[in-house]
Amino acid sequence: SRKITEGFLANRIEKEIGDKDRILELYVNRIYFGSGYYGVEAAAEGYFGKNASQLTIPEAATLAAAIPNPYHRSPRTFPETSERWRNHVLNRMSMENMISEADRDRFQKSEIVTRARQNVTGRSAFAYDQVRQEVEHLLGSESVAKGGYQIYTTIDGRLQQLAEQSIRKHLTRIETHSEFNHPTLEEYQIEKEEFRRKNKNSDARFRAPSYIQGALLLIENETGAVLAQVGARDFSDSMFNRVKQGRRPLGTAFKPFVYAAAFQEGYFPGSRVDDTPMDARQIMIGGMTGILGEWGPESMANVYEGSIPVRDALSKSKNSATVRVGQEVGTTKVVELAQKAGLPFEGDLKKFNATFLGRNPASPEELALAYSIFPNHGRRPKETFTITLIKDRQGNVVYEPHTATIDAEAIDGYTAHQINTILSDTLKTGSGQKAQDYGLKDMPIAGKTGTEYNFTDNWFAGYTSEVTCVAWAGFDQTKKIFNGAFSSDTTLPIWVDVMNAAAESFEPKPFLPPVDAEAVEISRKTGNLATAETTFENVTNAEGITSQVLTTFLEYHRPGTNVSAFGQIGTSQSNSRSTRQRAQTQKPGGPIIPQLAVAGDAVPVFPIAATLLAEDDPYRSETGVMRARIASFTVPASANGEETDGQAVARPIDSEAGAIVAQPILPLSTATALDQIPIRAEPLQAEPVKSEPVQEDEEGAQAPRAIPATPADRPAEPREIRLPAPKPIEFD
């Protein structure tokens, strides 16, 4: 039916216009010739760098051959197929006596030479293609084919060019890493060129690229205007725009939304959280045995710090602490906040604790819009855009955007400011402090590293008061980049390059708290409200001069917050059954004793040797456990009925002398390096004590169970420990 309709239409066109040459002229001046060129004049300029009237016969035949299938016969995208169909056109011209057979043979032997890909905007192919798509969406492909429009975009040419250069530079550097064992961009392009040479007269297509890819998006916070966009390393290898279409797990870049949900519930950065090992079954990332891997802190040397401020837990990207905060708040509230910020969730993933560590996939565009809630005091732009104005050939305005923000707040201004200050610390003393090594300028700026489990996807997301930028690196198919590939080494330097340049055009302003926010002074020594005794500390320098140093800092919170009422998140002091994890107790004359307090049946197993049989242990499971080779056990009452207030006592025992070995107290100071604390690797023996009887709370949760640990109970050789199966998760 379509062909019959076209036949009648052709008849009407011929009757109306009459001249077939005129009909052909109108036709070739509006049809698509591939590679983004509409009309023969644009195609001649784009492919060969000349006017249509200056084309040679082989060049004209090349364009004529592209008309039936402009994508697959483009001389730039598929040169072999284009040459084969060009030769077909030349052969037909010879048969129609338009050229001689000698000319035909000579023309068919000539090589198709196209000019290097350029466009009149001077910007990247991805940015240019995005503009084309938006214009076609706004005006329609038929209208666009007529041409004559003046199109104004949001793209900043300087920032766009710098973003492309930075991605090429730093991803090429990654490919030279000693442990990087994947195909490189250079190797792929050499193979691609060889394939084309061998398949000149074939429609065979070369395989999709498998080298490491990168993507970057820079937007204006207030409007969502796109200032720079890079969808891949090379548009000619892959036209897939990873900024908009590529969704990958966010990894630890998701953490700010967990803490934002906690702050919305009344916690504040000075609240304390338990940073100690966690059983892998509580999160189920990387398996269901052993200790949860700490890939978030952007370091191969993992250190647990005990009770720490929530501020430090986020700025240092602590995984176990983050899960405890998320459990305290609940997955429902965390997911609801993230969805308000614009992040998608698929299936039942949002019901699991793995959500707290960014297992949900999102695109760089979605993450950039979500992060913009922090500098925007809780709101975000409705969408991104690249077109600011379109005029027709007469100068009439035919389109201008109507920028808008989401009506509902994702968070309030108090929470936004708290996250801003913490993520500012991330770049100074936290997981992103390498930014200083990469030359980050001194300005009000905030950001968060994002490393997915097993070093597969690397993110860095951050912002100033004016712009938000997200950089990603990884593979289209999930693969480890290399062992120890943290985002602080891969995407952070790209982000720093772009943000430094953006600051020249978009001057950052300080992050200010809401006018009615209340300030509270916190002691760095105790983590509690500052007192006269904890405000200053005497410090003696190398010359023996002692001076007083201020050891407090200010935190801002919403009016009416009772900052002295908070317990320890993730311990028995918390009111939430699901977050009772682990407390710290200290006995006079002995070490700080880790006291187990677990949720349900999940009991962490503390290794005393390497737990992985492979050649490497990327999460340092042997050395990363807090207070290595120190354990605590709760034992039944002794024969003489001695009691110790229900607390377990564990002290190192000299196996030869049978005496307790004197040990220094291990402070919970964040400045203490655990690997520098002298701890003798002696067998442990718990003094016989009487534990509290097992009791249940209102919800039926049991207190920690007694674990015998007398010398007679402990075999000389390691034995298999069978843990009870975890309780099934029940959903509403």
Side-chain angles (χ1 to χ4, degrees), residues 697-717:
D697 59 20
E698 297 176 356
E699 303 178 63
Q702 291 187 354
R705 295 170 296 175
I707 304 175
T710 62
D713 295 322
R714 290 169 48 208
E717 298 299 327

Side-chain angles (χ1 to χ4, degrees), residues 341-501:
L343 292 178
F345 287 84
E346 300 175 356
D348 290 335
L349 182 61
K350 59 186 177 184
K351 300 177 182 178
F352 295 94
N353 291 338
T355 296
F356 303 139
L357 299 182
R359 296 300 284 175
N360 58 301
S363 68
E365 180 183 45
E366 290 165 337
L367 187 60
L369 287 172
Y371 260 70
S372 70
I373 68 174
F374 303 126
N376 279 338
H377 313 291
R379 298 181 183 272
R380 67 174 178 86
K382 188 174 182 179
E383 58 187 359
T384 64
F385 65 96
T386 56
I387 306 296
T388 59
L389 190 68
I390 301 178
K391 295 181 179 180
D392 62 18
R393 63 179 71 237
Q394 285 78 36
N396 301 315
V397 175
V398 296
Y399 170 79
E400 56 184 339
H402 299 284
T403 59
T405 57
I406 300 298
D407 294 333
E409 280 185 341
I411 55 176
D412 59 32
Y414 308 105
T415 295
H417 179 70
Q418 289 166 340
I419 295 294
N420 291 341
T421 59
I422 295 176
L423 296 190
S424 294
D425 282 355
T426 297
L427 293 167
K428 298 173 184 175
T429 58
S431 60
Q433 61 183 311
K434 285 186 178 179
Q436 313 302 319
D437 300 333
Y438 301 134
L440 181 64
K441 295 179 180 178
D442 185 13
M443 57 182 164
I445 192 168
K448 177 68 181 74
T449 51
T451 302
E452 168 63 346
Y453 171 75
N454 205 28
F455 310 112
T456 53
D457 293 276
N458 282 182
W459 299 81
F460 200 93
Y463 51 86
T464 65
S465 60
E466 308 303 309
V467 299
T468 295
C469 180
V470 169
W472 168 84
F475 294 94
D476 293 331
Q477 304 297 324
T478 303
K479 299 178 188 176
K480 179 190 289 190
I481 299 174
F482 58 80
N483 190 37
F486 291 104
S487 58
S488 59
D489 298 316
T490 57
T491 51
L492 177 55
I494 299 171
W495 183 86
V496 168
D497 288 347
V498 174
M499 293 301 279
N500 278 343

Side-chain angles (χ1 to χ4, degrees), residues 2-39:
R2 182 170 63 88
K3 287 298 180 184
I4 293 174
T5 302
E6 289 177 353
F8 279 100
L9 177 60
N11 185 264
R12 290 184 58 189
I13 290 174
E14 188 166 355
K15 286 183 178 180
E16 183 69 25
I17 299 177
D19 186 357
K20 288 185 179 292
D21 287 342
R22 175 60 177 162
I23 295 173
L24 179 61
E25 177 188 349
L26 294 172
Y27 178 71
V28 298
N29 274 307
R30 67 179 300 168
I31 61 173
Y32 187 51
F33 282 88
S35 299
Y37 304 125
Y38 287 87

Side-chain angles (χ1 to χ4, degrees), residues 108-122:
Q108 287 182 341
K109 292 178 182 178
S110 65
E111 182 181 358
I112 298 178
V113 180
T114 58
R115 66 182 300 191
R117 174 92 191 211
Q118 297 178 2
N119 51 67
V120 295
T121 63

